[in-house]
Amino acid sequence: MTPATAPQGFLSPTGVEVAFLLVGLATFGAALVTVTTRQLVHAALWLVVTLGGLAVEYLLLTAEFIAWVQVLIYVGSVVVLLLFGLMLTKAPIGRSPDADSGNRPAALAVAVAAAAALVWVVVDAFRTTWIDLDGAAAGTTKATGQSLFQNWVLPFEALSVLLLAALVGAIVLSRRAKAHATASLPPRARDERAAKEGTR
């Protein structure tokens, strides 16, 4: 067996593996702070750190497409939406004693069970699998696009139709709720609302 094909060992980690471990520990710490802090704004900002750490982990695994999707969608959209929601609802900026529901033991038990199951599944699936960092890139945008539109095009299109149906359903339900709210108004208030909407 040549050195190029010699199996890797846990006692001889590479620089990428050490960086992966350190970033993973920092991400885990940020996730703990996210769910334990009593300040909502701080929780949202620590969530940015957590999701950014996951993006770095994807980059270390040579999955650059997934890493940028993580940054653009989760960090750039979901967290911004959360922050806007906090601002528009006038959420308290300081400490919020009522932010804790009192179900910490149950939440901790569920979190530990889910983490143990996830670790067991990942270790069992990738026990003998190693990523060849010197070989052809497997997580680039080109490779991911080719795999998506050659092997997974039908599930991809089915998901698109499902999301479109959910969007149309949300629009229909919102218009129906608006019509119901308008019908329940007194005649004078109904006429005033119709006049306002007609002048827009």
Side-chain angles (χ1 to χ4, degrees), residues 76-89:
S77 299
V78 174
V79 176
V80 171
L81 181 63
L82 288 175
L83 291 175
F84 270 103
L86 292 176
M87 290 187 292
L88 294 176
T89 56

Side-chain angles (χ1 to χ4, degrees), residues 93-150:
I93 302 299
R95 294 178 62 86
S96 301
D98 57 345
D100 193 355
S101 64
N103 294 325
R104 282 177 178 256
L108 181 60
V110 172
V112 170
L118 181 61
V119 169
W120 181 81
V121 169
V122 171
V123 170
D124 184 67
F126 300 99
R127 182 181 291 112
T128 58
T129 303
W130 296 88
I131 297 176
D132 187 10
L133 300 178
D134 298 327
T140 60
T141 305
K142 180 180 179 180
T144 304
Q146 288 178 346
S147 175
L148 181 63
F149 291 106
Q150 287 180 357

Side-chain angles (χ1 to χ4, degrees), residues 149-167:
F149 291 106
Q150 287 180 357
N151 304 325
W152 303 98
V153 63
L154 184 60
F156 179 78
E157 294 299 331
L159 180 61
S160 302
V161 174
L162 180 61
L163 292 176
L164 178 61
L167 179 61

